[in-house]
Amino acid sequence: MSTTRSASIRSELPVRLTAAYFQLNGDPITDLTEDLAAEQKARSTYDNILRLCDDPDVRDPIKFLRQREIVHFQCFGEALRLVQDDLDAKNFYCCNPSYDPNCGNHSMNRDRRMQ
C-alpha cells in the first residue's frame, strides 16, 4: 500500500468520539454551570492530595493548582452572573420563537380581547 493511499485512508476514518462532544450544548447557563462544577471537583481533588501528602515538593505545585482552580471558579461564577443578567435584560425566558411561532403575540391577542 502506498503512503498516498494510506494518508487518504487515515483522513476517511471517523473522528474518535469522546466526552468533549457532549460537554457543550450551546446553552451558556448550562455550560458555565458545568464549568463551575468541574473547577470545584478539581479543587476537591487537590484538597484531598494536600491532606494525604507531606512532601513540600509535591504540596507547593498542588497548592498552586488548587489556587488556580479557585480563581477559575470565581471567573466562571462572574461570567454566569453576567450571562444571567444579560438574558434577564432581554426577557429571554418569556418565550422561545423557535418552539413557539406566535412568541410574543399571546399577550397582544389577550390585550385586544380585553378591549
Side-chain angles (χ1 to χ4, degrees):
M1 184 181 278
S2 71
T3 56
T4 306
R5 174 80 174 136
S6 176
S8 66
I9 289 174
R10 284 190 196 127
S11 66
E12 293 170 4
L13 290 175
V15 177
R16 174 176 275 169
L17 183 64
T18 65
Y21 287 101
F22 302 107
Q23 288 177 330
L24 297 176
N25 69 5
D27 177 18
I29 293 175
T30 302
D31 294 340
L32 287 168
T33 303
E34 288 177 356
D35 292 338
L36 285 165
E39 298 299 329
Q40 186 66 15
K41 185 176 179 181
R43 188 198 58 79
S44 296
T45 301
Y46 295 140
D47 284 343
N48 291 336
I49 292 171
L50 289 171
R51 239 188 323 275
L52 297 173
C53 182
D54 294 334
D55 184 358
D57 291 334
V58 173
R59 289 181 62 86
D60 290 343
I62 296 298
K63 286 179 183 178
F64 168 79
L65 293 172
R66 181 185 178 279
Q67 185 60 36
R68 188 180 67 169
E69 300 303 333
I70 292 169
V71 171
H72 289 168
F73 184 87
Q74 291 169 341
C75 291
F76 284 128
E78 177 67 13
L80 179 61
R81 187 189 63 78
L82 291 172
V83 166
Q84 287 174 329
D85 289 349
D86 186 50
L87 293 176
D88 286 341
K90 294 178 183 177
N91 199 13
F92 181 80
Y93 300 103
C94 175
C95 56
N96 186 342
S98 64
Y99 293 112
D100 183 5
N102 296 321
C103 180
N105 295 332
H106 298 296
S107 62
M108 289 176 40
N109 292 336
R110 183 185 51 189
D111 293 340
R112 285 183 194 156
R113 284 192 302 251
M114 292 180 158
Q115 292 177 351

